[in-house]
């Protein structure tokens, strides 16, 4: 059997999602963004929503999310994605609307927009990448930065008496009547990726069914910002992030 | 609904005009002296009739970003606020200008700076026509002087903003917002369908059919060479607007020796001043810019040989007076009269200022 015979449709075990294009990705090696992008692309395609989906991109590393998924996108001002999603969904109730936001965007500058969109029960999905650092601007402290964790703006480690405590915003959002699904996922193992995709699928189904706001948090790595190899970053995430941000479903109603 | 004559506050007229224009959405946050706009919309419940969305946002920041989102999918959406709230909206306005999105913003001005006062003012002239938010952009600015114009400028503002894919603002104040006058409301227009929007705004983010590339609404471009080209394109658009969309009104200007230049509520007072001055044998006239940007520079410039002096009347410390001086190239004496902090001058006060212009 030669190579050409092996490369045939019936032998395909894995392929790039149809909605992901060939634009060179700017994400660093070991970053979680690429995997989460792929899962979103698969879920949208599998649900047959490619022509009805509008994504809202954040400010931060994922600002260029719109370069990678072949759907319509709106690039938000920093933190404002949930307000934009609110209007897009209310003006187009039949569309699938999701935001994609990092921890600084969602849990610092956009806290008000996040809480109020969720409290209104907007029928949108918020995909929340929590890597405890500002990646795009060069590794500064995030609202989710761990106690004692070093960043460019807390070079001696986060000091909670000076900077306050790491914000477990998903726990907070789970208290709101408007949210129907709050779950915390990761993409560091094949099993976690499968679970994360299921969570995304459920969130997207909730939005289309008008059940309220769904937030899928991905506890994520930022190998560059953390100054680690991809493998070290995964290990560090498991040992240090998961105890404070444990994976699992916080709310499902 | 056919044409209808009503007695309304300026703020109420804006709400009714928005529904009748076929606006798709309004997103606001309460602030005096403009809260009647959202109150009227909530009372009218247009979502039951035209399908217009009305939502009270958590902040002015959220409201303008809802407008950004609505505009990004090609919808006719608007917000309103008053001075301190408009300061909060500047981020979103700059993003709309950068992403070339249409939309209508209403500023019912009050006295500042800071929390200031709830009384009328025109102190946001600079903020509105000189920028406000960051970056080299321009905001189409309409200055109504009556309740009728409050209603009319809703349609005009939407039309201009969609013609040029640029945000537009109705810049008014507590006097015009709160006073009641007779107003003719236009016939109800239908809201546009998604097919209409896809045809008229092919750039809109409404979901990507297989037949086209993704529509991406963004103001971001990290390649400076491309960003410069974007800016050059914006500036060319602004030049077109300056050449095509200037609007103003004149009152007894044909034989005037002295000209008052004023907009909005100050123009209402000044019209009375012109009549008082003429009773005293002084040939006065009123030049009222309706578009503050684009400013009627050429029309004012044409006056410079004919008049002996110009008085600019504003409810601020002298802001538009700078544009008037530039327009007439300082070839005729230009004086300013105004009151600050929410005080509205009487016609008699303005008349005295006009009399002191006489040589």
């Amino acid at each position: 059997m030669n190579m050409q015979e092996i490369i045939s449709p019936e032998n395909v075990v894995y392929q790039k999602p149809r909605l992901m294009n060939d634009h060179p990705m700017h994400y660093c090696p070991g970053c979680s963004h690429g995997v989460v992008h792929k899962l979103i692309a698969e879920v949208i395609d599998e649900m047959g929503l490619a022509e009805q989906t509008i994504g809202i991109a954040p400010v931060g590393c994922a600002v260029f999310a719109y370069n990678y998924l072949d759907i319509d996108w709106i690039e938000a001002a920093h933190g404002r994605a949930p307000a934009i999603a609110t209007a897009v969904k209310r003006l187009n109730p039949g569309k699938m609307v999701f935001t994609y936001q990092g921890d600084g965007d969602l849990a610092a500058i956009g806290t008000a927009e996040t809480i109020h969109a969720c409290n209104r029960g907007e029928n949108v999905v918020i995909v929340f990448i929590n890597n405890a650092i500002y990646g795009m601007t060069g590794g500064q402290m995030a609202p989710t930065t761990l106690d004692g964790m070093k960043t460019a703006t807390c070079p001696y480690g986060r000091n909670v008496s000076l900077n306050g405590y790491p914000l477990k915003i998903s726990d907070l959002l789970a208290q709101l009547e408007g949210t129907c699904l709050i779950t915390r996922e990761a993409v560091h193992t094949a099993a976690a990726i499968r679970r994360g995709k299921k969570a995304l699928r459920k969130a997207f189904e909730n939005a289309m069914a008008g059940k309220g706001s769904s937030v899928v948090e991905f506890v994520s790595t930022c190998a560059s910002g953390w100054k680690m190899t991809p493998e070290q970053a995964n290990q560090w995430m498991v040992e240090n992030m998961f105890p404070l941000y444990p994976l699992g479903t916080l709310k499902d109603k | 609904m056919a044409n209808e004559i009503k007695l309304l506050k300026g703020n109420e007229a804006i709400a009714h005009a928005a529904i009748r224009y076929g606006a798709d959405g309004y997103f606001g946050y309460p602030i005096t002296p403009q809260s009647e706009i959202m109150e009227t919309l909530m009372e009218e419940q247009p979502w039951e009739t035209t399908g217009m969305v009305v939502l009270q946002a958590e902040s002015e920041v959220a409201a303008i970003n809802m407008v950004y989102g609505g505009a990004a999918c090609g919808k006719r959406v608007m917000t309103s606020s008053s001075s301190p709230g408009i300061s909060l909206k500047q981020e979103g306005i700059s993003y709309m200008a950068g992403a070339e999105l249409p939309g209508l913003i209403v500023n019912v001005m009050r006295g500042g700076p800071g929390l200031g006062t709830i009384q009328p003012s025109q102190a946001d002239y600079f903020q509105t026509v000189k920028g406000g938010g960051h970056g080299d952009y321009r905001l189409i600015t309409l200055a109504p002087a009556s309740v009728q114009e409050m209603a009319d400028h809703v349609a005009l503002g939407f039309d201009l903003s969609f013609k040029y894919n640029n945000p537009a603002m109705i810049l008014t104040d507590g006097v015009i917002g709160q006073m009641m006058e007779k107003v003719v409301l236009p016939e109800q227009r239908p809201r546009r369908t998604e097919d209409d929007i896809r045809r008229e705004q092919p750039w809109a983010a409404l979901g990507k059919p297989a037949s086209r590339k993704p529509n991406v609404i963004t103001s971001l471009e990290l390649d400076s060479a491309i960003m410069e080209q974007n800016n050059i394109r914006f500036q060319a658009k602004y030049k077109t607007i300056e050449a095509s969309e200037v609007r103003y009104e004149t009152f007894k200007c044909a034989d005037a020796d002295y000209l008052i230049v004023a907009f909005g509520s100050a123009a209402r007072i000044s019209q009375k001043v012109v009549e008082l001055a003429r009773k005293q044998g002084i040939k006065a006239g009123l030049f009222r810019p309706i578009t503050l940007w684009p400013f009627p520079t050429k029309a004012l410039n044409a006056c410079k040989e004919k008049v002996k002096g110009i008085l600019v009347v504003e409810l601020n410390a002298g802001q538009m007076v700078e544009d008037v001086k530039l327009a007439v190239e300082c070839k005729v004496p230009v004086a300013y009269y105004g009151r600050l902090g929410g005080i509205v001058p009487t016609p008699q006060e303005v008349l005295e200022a006009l009399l002191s212009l006489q040589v």
Side-chain angles (χ1 to χ4, degrees), chain B residues 252 255 257-258 271-285 346-358:
Chain B
K252 296 184 192 276
D255 64 342
D257 290 329
Y258 294 93
Q271 186 162 332
K272 180 75 179 170
V273 175
V274 166
E275 287 164 356
L276 293 174
R278 286 200 173 245
K279 276 182 191 161
Q280 295 192 17
I282 299 155
K283 287 181 184 172
T346 63
Q348 198 58 40
E349 282 178 68
V350 181
L351 180 64
E352 280 162 26
L354 183 70
L355 293 177
S356 68
L357 258 191
Q358 282 188 287

Side-chain angles (χ1 to χ4, degrees), chain B residues 310-341:
Chain B
I310 295 175
L311 181 69
V312 181
V313 180
E314 305 179 71
L315 307 188
N316 58 42
Q319 299 188 15
M320 186 175 68
V321 64
E322 293 186 5
D323 288 331
V324 175
K325 282 180 179 174
L326 284 169
V328 299
E329 299 168 277
C330 293
K331 289 190 173 158
V332 58
V334 177
Y336 144 83
Y337 182 78
R339 296 295 301 270
L340 311 175

Side-chain angles (χ1 to χ4, degrees), chain B residues 176-316:
Chain B
I176 310 287
Q178 293 294 330
M179 73 181 183
M180 294 187 84
E181 285 185 318
K182 189 181 84 172
V183 55
V184 182
L185 294 173
E187 204 174 319
Q188 178 67 53
R189 288 175 28 163
R191 284 174 55 244
R192 294 181 306 162
T193 64
E194 185 175 324
D195 284 345
D196 293 338
I197 296 171
R198 283 186 186 273
R199 194 172 53 250
E200 291 166 21
Q201 276 75 46
W203 46 262
L206 275 167
K208 185 194 99 66
S211 56
R212 68 155 164 80
K213 289 186 170 175
N215 281 343
V216 176
I217 306 298
T218 183
S219 57
L220 176 67
E221 179 49 67
L222 290 185
D223 184 333
S224 293
I226 299 173
M227 196 63 212
E228 183 178 43
Q229 288 308 312
N230 289 350
N231 270 274
I232 288 169
R233 192 177 72 247
F234 301 161
Q235 294 302 321
K237 175 171 80 176
Y238 303 149
K239 286 273 178 286
T240 305
I241 297 172
E242 284 173 342
S244 319
E245 303 298 349
V246 169
R247 285 163 174 80
Y248 59 91
E249 187 183 72
T250 57
F251 176 68
K252 296 184 192 276
C253 282
D255 64 342
D257 290 329
Y258 294 93
L259 211 56
I260 297 179
V261 182
F263 70 93
S265 57
R268 291 289 290 257
I269 298 161
S270 300
Q271 186 162 332
K272 180 75 179 170
V273 175
V274 166
E275 287 164 356
L276 293 174
R278 286 200 173 245
K279 276 182 191 161
Q280 295 192 17
I282 299 155
K283 287 181 184 172
L286 171 66
F287 185 103
R288 178 171 76 90
I290 294 171
T291 51
L292 299 180
W293 187 84
F295 193 70
T297 305
K298 273 188 191 165
L300 268 172
N301 185 272
C303 298
K304 70 180 188 291
E305 316 294 347
K306 301 178 201 160
V307 299
K308 295 174 186 168
I310 295 175
L311 181 69
V312 181
V313 180
E314 305 179 71
L315 307 188
N316 58 42

Side-chain angles (χ1 to χ4, degrees), chain A residues 143-158:
Chain A
T144 51
T145 294
L146 306 182
D147 184 10
M149 181 178 167
K150 289 178 183 174
T151 75
T153 49
C154 49
Y156 307 108
R158 182 177 188 146

Side-chain angles (χ1 to χ4, degrees), chain B residues 41-63:
Chain B
L41 286 166
M42 290 296 187
E43 202 178 314
E44 290 294 313
Q45 302 186 80
W47 52 90
E48 299 284 356
T49 51
T50 69
M52 180 185 182
V53 169
V54 185
L55 183 63
Q56 179 168 337
E58 63 269 32
S59 68
E60 288 91 347
V61 176

Side-chain angles (χ1 to χ4, degrees), chain A residues 50-54 59 63-64 66 69-78 80 83-84 86-88 90-92 95 112-113 116-117 120 122, chain B residues 24 27 53 55 58 61-62 65-66 68-70 72-73 75 77 91 95 194 198 204-210 212 214-218 220 222:
Chain A
E51 298 192 10
Q52 301 164 54
T53 300
I54 298 147
V59 170
V63 68
F64 290 121
Y66 57 70
L69 261 64
D70 280 341
I71 55 169
D72 281 358
W73 284 95
I74 300 169
E75 161 52 31
H78 200 21
R80 315 301 175 216
I84 290 169
T86 294
V88 174
R90 287 195 179 225
L91 290 159
N92 305 280
K95 308 283 182 193
E113 286 79 3
H116 284 280
R120 288 188 300 262
E122 301 295 346
Chain B
D24 296 301
F27 304 92
V53 169
L55 183 63
E58 63 269 32
V61 176
N65 280 283
M66 289 172 184
Y68 178 95
C73 36
K75 303 281 182 174
V77 287
E91 173 195 58
Y95 274 68
E194 185 175 324
R198 283 186 186 273
L206 275 167
K208 185 194 99 66
R212 68 155 164 80
N215 281 343
V216 176
I217 306 298
T218 183
L220 176 67
L222 290 185

